[in-house]
Amino acid sequence: MAVVYDTRDRFLGLGWYDATSPLRVRMLHVGSPVTIDLAWWRQRLETALSIREKRFDPSTTGWRWIHGENDGWPGWVLDRYGPVLVLKLYTAAWLPWLDPLVPLLQERLAPAAIVLRLSRNMAIEAEKQGRRDGTVIAGSLPGDSSPVLFEEHGLLFEADVLRGQKTGFFLDQRENRVRVESLARGRIVLNTFAYTGGFSLYAARGGALIVESLDSNPRALDSARRNFERNRGLRLPRDAGHELIRADAFEWLAAPGASRYDLIVLDPPALAQRAEDRPSALQGYEHLARNAWKRLRPGGILAAASCSAQVGAKDFFQVVQEATREGPRLARVLETTGQPADHPACFPEAAYLKCIYLLKAGTRR
Ligand code: SAH
């Protein structure tokens, strides 16, 4: 723990010190001196829980309980997937606190299991302290195995809580998936960077004629297929068409191909990890949007998202609008969106997720 003073040696606050991170100190508290004990953590936990409790109806059992520094828990993310909690840490400073804090989570949230996920930068320090990524640190997983099943707006999904990306699922796109569902009726849909098929299932439930899920990772596509099949005939029409495409999305979209889609989702991983990646990330978004636009029929819709904290919403929207310009005319913007309320943002860079919906001119078939 670091105690932070101003230049005149006056107490400013307390934070986690991490010599290995560009974020040297992650502030826990600013203001008058406090004692950081279990009661203090309990109160922080209650504040975070109160934002999410009773927010979701029973058809949604996956959400973010704690969103890092935005909830006063810097470098600590806690997601719920049905009966399982996944705790992802981004700084080794938390490790000595696991022993006292894990029982607090058990007592308050009564999960079947708590899984620990660790960011790559802290793996060595964690190993020294006997902690490893993708381990169950309390209780046991249902059936003693991953993936774990949970529901999102009535659709059943699996999340690989031990090895999946982030904590196993991209909960932050929940509301954009609902929008895509509402736009999908009668459309041929291409979901690029599909991961485990989140947008694909919603599009199918919304009445898409056919959905194609494209990803470069075969394990993600296997999971997308399983997710689709476990909802078929229940929440998805029995005859809903779903095709998998294993490809590099940049290359696949750039290759010549017919303009056969009525709705395309572009949801790449963060293209800018650091500030210096910003120009190449913007080029990447531009390239994707330009080529996706070519694959849309008249009257088609492009939903383009970015989760790069390093790229602001204004720049992202501008670059996508330029890429989809037709002569002097900009495409019509149907909507722009950000991140859902279980992913609050308390400083500008924390508003990392943005999405723009654009309509291609022309009459639909
Ligand atoms: N839209 C998804 C989340 C996308 S995560 C959802 O709603 O759940 C980003 C995905 O992009 C990952 O599945 C990753 O495997 C995939 N990916 C990364 N680089 C890629 C590339 N060049 N081409 C295709 N897929 C890629």
Side-chain angles (χ1 to χ4, degrees), residues 284-307:
Y285 291 124
E286 214 251 324
H287 171 92
L288 287 171
R290 186 181 301 283
N291 290 323
W293 198 246
K294 288 189 192 142
R295 297 296 190 94
L296 280 176
R297 294 191 207 226
I301 294 171
L302 175 67
S306 159
C307 60

Side-chain angles (χ1 to χ4, degrees), residues 165 170 177 193-195 199 214-217 247-250 267 269:
Q165 295 193 37
F170 289 84
R177 290 192 274 263
F193 306 94
Y195 192 45
F199 282 102
L214 184 152
D215 204 284
S216 55
N217 179 349
D248 178 289
F250 290 88
D267 184 25

